[in-house]
Amino acid sequence: MKTRIMTKRNILWVAMAFGLCACTKDSEPEFKNECGEIAFSAHVSQTRVTNNAWDGNELVGIKNGETVKTYKVAADGAMTTEEEPYQWEGTKYELSAWTPLTNEPIDLTDQSTDRKFFDCDLLASNKTVTSKNVSFTFTHQMTRMGWELQHALGYTPEEINAAKVYFMGYGSVLYTNGVVTPQGNPDMQIVTRSLNENTLRKGEAMMVPGEMWGKALIKVEIGEDVFTYTPNREAPTDAEKNTGLLKPNTIQRYYLSVSKKGMVVDMIEVGSSIGEWSNEDADKGLIETEME
């Protein structure tokens, strides 16, 4: 398991009460806020289940040096703790924050419901404290992977409706101090969240970032046929679009066309900025592919 270890020079012993605050009028000129308990707030791009915001009551770990405190984030982003809160005492220092806060492995193999899908949305943020008000902006540590079955030539409507599409990758991760550590090998079958609309067949899953060149990434079961897509770094189209590279905080959409001859796969990277992670924007960039 990977952990982040800070040197003694970087460890700030946080004051445990207002009376220990060392902030004075002679503090560094850019730090003019009075010292005291830090008021934290949390912001995240739109992936949450309730109203595209925090569900409320999520637990967030906040780490300073070797000290970790547990904070709870409300639906409006305000954060509170039942522990002795972190303090601002006039000297800047670094904090890291992450959620979900758990020591147990996080299962990625079943993301078939909204709740199971969003439970795999691992978020982290780093912040330099320079006042009593600290606003964390969390980014996504996983790759948000989508698939769409655009064409299925030679198959009946019943076979198309019954088709199953899976991603292949790591089946679980440990998430310690905001660091994703995959478990096992990237060969597990991942059941995706369904996004089917009318005749469209599509789904998505949170995947561990990293290289999947030469490894099975997508599996399609349709009719009596099974197709597997393995990104090939030597294939010009795969190399040009980096289909085998899964990037953190990024939406990647894979478009599938199958026939009795095989499967053709194309990919679009929708974006990696905060606003582009929303459900609405995630569906942009639909393409049409041609069967060979």
Side-chain angles (χ1 to χ4, degrees):
M1 181 186 302
K2 297 181 181 179
T3 57
R4 296 176 179 173
I5 301 175
M6 300 182 70
T7 63
K8 292 182 178 179
R9 291 183 304 176
N10 294 330
I11 298 176
L12 174 68
W13 295 104
V14 180
M16 301 303 290
F18 285 91
L20 296 180
C21 181
C23 183
T24 69
K25 293 182 179 179
D26 296 326
S27 298
E28 297 181 53
E30 64 268 33
F31 307 142
K32 297 180 180 180
N33 300 76
E34 295 180 0
C35 36
E37 177 182 335
I38 295 177
F40 288 110
S41 61
H43 302 278
V44 67
S45 49
Q46 300 174 354
T47 64
R48 315 312 293 178
V49 176
T50 305
N51 297 323
N52 286 330
W54 294 99
D55 295 336
N57 297 322
E58 284 101 336
L59 296 182
V60 177
I62 301 182
K63 188 173 187 287
N64 169 46
E66 297 303 313
T67 301
V68 175
K69 296 180 184 291
T70 300
Y71 279 72
K72 183 179 293 186
V73 59
D76 63 358
M79 301 172 67
T80 58
T81 182
E82 295 181 357
E83 302 180 49
E84 189 69 29
Y86 281 115
Q87 305 283 321
W88 161 246
E89 57 175 12
T91 304
K92 66 179 179 180
Y93 60 98
E94 304 297 323
L95 290 176
S96 59
W98 67 95
T99 186
L101 181 61
T102 178
N103 293 320
E104 299 297 322
I106 298 172
D107 180 29
L108 304 177
T109 60
D110 182 4
Q111 300 186 40
S112 56
T113 67
D114 287 356
R115 171 52 61 191
K116 291 177 179 179
F117 170 76
F118 286 109
D119 281 348
C120 298
D121 187 11
L122 312 182
L123 305 169
S125 179
N126 296 299
K127 192 71 176 182
T128 300
V129 178
T130 58
S131 75
K132 286 198 305 181
N133 299 306
V134 174
S135 177
F136 285 113
T137 298
F138 287 85
T139 58
H140 308 274
Q141 304 307 294
M142 303 287 276
T143 307
R144 187 171 179 174
M145 299 271 288
W147 63 265
E148 181 175 318
L149 182 58
Q150 290 194 311
H151 302 288
L153 304 180
Y155 297 96
T156 66
E158 292 76 18
E159 289 175 324
I160 295 172
N161 289 333
K164 296 180 180 179
V165 180
Y166 306 94
F167 283 123
M168 307 295 291
Y170 289 102
S172 67
V173 297
L174 292 176
Y175 193 49
T176 306
N177 299 340
V179 178
V180 177
T181 304
Q183 304 295 290
N185 297 312
D187 56 3
M188 300 298 292
Q189 185 168 282
I190 296 174
V191 179
T192 66
R193 173 193 185 209
S194 175
L195 297 174
N196 292 344
E197 296 178 1
N198 300 321
T199 59
L200 285 179
R201 299 277 295 163
K202 55 184 180 178
E204 63 179 351
M206 299 290 182
M207 301 282 287
V208 177
E211 294 193 5
M212 290 294 288
W213 299 112
K215 302 179 179 68
L217 180 61
I218 302 172
K219 179 181 178 182
V220 178
E221 299 175 355
I222 183 169
E224 297 181 354
D225 299 322
V226 177
F227 302 102
T228 302
Y229 170 66
T230 300
N232 181 3
R233 198 194 300 265
E234 303 304 317
T237 300
D238 287 4
E240 177 186 357
K241 297 198 173 182
N242 261 336
T243 58
L245 180 61
L246 312 189
K247 301 178 182 180
N249 199 44
T250 302
I251 302 168
Q252 295 176 204
R253 296 298 189 209
Y254 291 76
Y255 300 93
L256 319 176
S257 295
V258 298
S259 74
K260 294 296 182 178
K261 297 180 181 180
M263 178 166 62
V264 175
V265 177
D266 203 346
M267 187 271 277
I268 287 181
E269 182 179 312
V270 178
S272 57
S273 70
I274 293 295
E276 290 175 325
W277 195 276
S278 68
N279 285 326
E280 180 180 349
D281 288 333
D283 287 330
K284 290 181 179 178
L286 300 184
I287 60 174
E288 290 293 329
T289 59
E290 295 294 335
M291 294 297 299
E292 295 180 351

